[in-house]
Amino acid sequence: MAFEGQTNQSAFILASGWVCSYKLMPGGTRQIVDFQLPGDFLGLRSVLFRTADHNIEPVTKVEASEVLASDLLSTFSRTPRLATAVLWAASRDEAMVVEHLVGIGRRDALERTAHFLLELGARLKLVGLGTKNGYACPLSQYMLADALGLSAIHVNRVLRELREGGLVTFQRGQVTFHDFDRLVAIADFDRAYLDHDGPLLA
Amino acid sequence: MAFEGQTNQSAFILASGWVCSYKLMPGGTRQIVDFQLPGDFLGLRSVLFRTADHNIEPVTKVEASEVLASDLLSTFSRTPRLATAVLWAASRDEAMVVEHLVGIGRRDALERTAHFLLELGARLKLVGLGTKNGYACPLSQYMLADALGLSAIHVNRVLRELREGGLVTFQRGQVTFHDFDRLVAIADFDRAYLDHDGPLLA
DNA sequence: CGGATAGTTGACTTGCGTCAATCCGCGTGG
DNA sequence: CCACGCGGATTGACGCAAGTCAACTATCCG
């Protein structure tokens, strides 16, 4: 089965049995992202990106038929540019949603907020709208709350804690990192899932 | 902008500004699923499935260039079967992950568990492994906990509550619905997002 | 029969939500 | 120029949903 970070996977279609895909947190807890049921596709992103961004594990005995990675890739090489770009975008989106899911399921408010601010920063830096020191952020604390699955009031408390800890500042539409490394450590932030630029767009 | 249930959308690429996509809960709360930043794709699934499964709303003033729905669709009509099937599967996956995310972010343990059991039931029925009355479920309460973002102990308490309320039973590898309609009401379950069979696979 | 694994239950703790003020900056209109 | 209103931010008091710890039981299996 596929493990995080591993490379050169294959993809499958589940014929019978159940499989689950999950992520492990540093504390040893895990968040299951999805269950694969018979008929479901399995391991798609790990072929397209040549790296698995989560683990999978059988729940029951399973039977699956393999879809050769080479078939998949050759199919896409004969496919219009736009179509592969679309698929790539969709997969990147899904990876982000997955990360978001894990954050909400298994991180407390502080870690979750820190992670979120870091992720936004990383994405903005990719398009030249942010630096290692911070970025302009038009969000209100209410929006942050809706994104993080928290109440606005608690978001405020958490932001204060981050501020008083000398970690980040979220004020007047500006996010400023004051201790980037410590923040990354708190959030257990790993930006790998953002720099997918797999084989498809070569 | 696109609204849930609306049809015949277009897709865009964001040139400047921020947009957020979210889902509304019946209680009036909402869960933001993602923010779109400059360079990001927007509204892809609403074109492919011809129905938006979430709302989007600008955070700031935005500029976006439209990708004509007809261009997208005609591109895919000239694309190998396997490639479109893969995209379709990826999109369905993402829709499920989104639903999962919303559930964890904005539903309490009872609603969340009910919703999850219903979703599994619906998916299994699609492939002939479940009926309106229930299905065989190989999951342990520990797995349930990891999927729902709860502790195993709390899952147990919730299952008891559901059982004593005469709603569902989760025992000896068997899920049995005793009051399907009331369960659907509690969970605010809407299976629309599972029946995507959009225009692509015609 | 013993030993593992899963389920069940109770007592206590805590993170986060809710309610309720208060404060601030800003825009609008008198 | 000031009064007012409004949306966002901030803070405190209080309550509850869910986590943790710690048994105990049931079931399965060698």
Side-chain angles (χ1 to χ4, degrees):
Chain A
M1 308 259 65
F3 294 97
E4 200 165 344
Q6 197 176 336
T7 195
N8 267 18
Q9 300 309 140
S10 337
F12 301 86
I13 293 190
L14 241 202
S16 73
W18 293 29
V19 175
C20 75
S21 35
Y22 62 94
K23 286 202 155 214
L24 289 174
M25 308 301 287
T29 62
R30 71 169 176 176
Q31 176 67 48
I32 292 180
V33 171
D34 201 3
F35 292 99
Q36 271 57 57
L37 308 180
D40 285 346
F41 221 117
L42 202 60
L44 174 58
R45 289 215 305 281
S46 65
V47 170
L48 300 180
F49 294 138
R50 293 212 288 225
T51 165
D53 57 357
H54 54 262
N55 304 305
I56 64 182
E57 170 184 311
V59 175
T60 65
K61 294 245 181 267
V62 297
E63 298 170 295
S65 46
E66 183 165 7
V67 179
L68 286 177
S70 55
D71 284 359
L72 263 180
L73 295 176
S74 80
T75 295
F76 279 102
S77 69
R78 287 181 281 103
T79 261
R81 275 294 164 79
L82 177 57
T84 98
V86 160
L87 177 63
W88 180 85
S91 298
R92 176 174 174 277
D93 278 0
E94 182 173 350
M96 286 193 304
V97 176
V98 164
E99 195 60 29
H100 194 171
L101 167 69
V102 171
I104 289 189
R106 290 300 184 203
R107 276 194 262 261
D108 69 22
L110 192 76
E111 299 164 352
R112 206 185 298 174
T113 308
H115 193 278
F116 181 81
L117 293 177
L118 284 168
E119 174 180 328
L120 274 186
R123 288 174 61 189
L124 287 166
K125 193 142 84 64
L126 278 183
V127 291
L129 294 175
T131 73
K132 186 147 175 89
N133 297 320
Y135 51 95
C137 175
L139 303 178
S140 71
Q141 294 187 359
Y142 293 89
M143 286 229 171
L144 260 189
D146 283 342
L148 296 171
L150 298 168
S151 70
I153 293 167
H154 200 65
V155 165
N156 185 295
R157 293 194 275 248
V158 168
L159 289 177
R160 169 154 53 113
E161 197 175 339
L162 289 170
R163 191 186 330 127
E164 291 174 351
L167 294 162
V168 228
T169 257
F170 180 97
Q171 266 161 347
R172 268 161 283 113
Q174 187 67 29
V175 171
T176 313
F177 298 123
H178 293 114
D179 190 338
F180 193 85
D181 295 337
R182 205 147 52 87
L183 196 64
V184 165
I186 286 178
D188 182 45
F189 182 65
D190 171 11
R191 42 166 299 158
Y193 68 98
L194 290 175
D195 347 284
H196 288 149
D197 52 13
L200 293 179
L201 291 184
Chain B
M1 310 258 64
F3 294 98
E4 200 165 344
Q6 195 176 336
T7 195
N8 267 19
Q9 299 309 140
S10 336
F12 299 87
I13 293 190
L14 239 201
S16 74
W18 292 28
V19 175
C20 76
S21 36
Y22 62 93
K23 286 203 155 215
L24 289 174
M25 307 301 285
T29 63
R30 71 170 177 176
Q31 176 67 48
I32 293 180
V33 172
D34 200 4
F35 291 99
Q36 271 56 58
L37 309 180
D40 285 346
F41 221 119
L42 201 62
L44 174 60
R45 288 216 306 282
S46 66
V47 170
L48 300 180
F49 294 139
R50 293 211 290 224
T51 163
D53 58 358
H54 54 263
N55 304 304
I56 64 182
E57 169 184 311
V59 174
T60 65
K61 294 247 179 267
V62 297
E63 297 171 295
S65 47
E66 183 165 6
V67 179
L68 286 178
S70 54
D71 285 358
L72 264 180
L73 294 176
S74 80
T75 295
F76 279 102
S77 70
R78 287 182 281 104
T79 262
R81 273 297 163 79
L82 178 57
T84 98
V86 159
L87 177 63
W88 181 85
S91 298
R92 175 174 175 276
D93 278 0
E94 181 174 348
M96 285 193 305
V97 175
V98 164
E99 195 62 27
H100 195 170
L101 167 70
V102 171
I104 289 188
R106 289 301 185 203
R107 276 194 262 261
D108 68 23
L110 192 78
E111 299 165 351
R112 207 185 297 173
T113 308
H115 193 278
F116 181 82
L117 294 177
L118 284 168
E119 174 179 329
L120 273 186
R123 288 174 63 189
L124 287 166
K125 194 142 84 66
L126 278 183
V127 290
L129 293 175
T131 72
K132 185 147 177 92
N133 298 320
Y135 52 94
C137 175
L139 304 178
S140 71
Q141 295 187 359
Y142 294 88
M143 286 230 172
L144 259 188
D146 283 342
L148 296 171
L150 298 168
S151 69
I153 292 169
H154 200 65
V155 165
N156 184 294
R157 293 194 276 248
V158 168
L159 289 177
R160 169 152 53 112
E161 196 176 338
L162 289 170
R163 193 186 329 126
E164 290 174 351
L167 293 162
V168 229
T169 256
F170 180 96
Q171 266 160 347
R172 267 159 284 116
Q174 187 67 29
V175 171
T176 313
F177 298 123
H178 292 115
D179 190 336
F180 194 85
D181 295 338
R182 205 146 53 85
L183 197 63
V184 166
I186 286 177
D188 181 44
F189 181 66
D190 171 10
R191 41 166 300 156
Y193 67 98
L194 290 174
D195 323 308
H196 289 150
D197 50 15
L200 292 178
L201 291 184

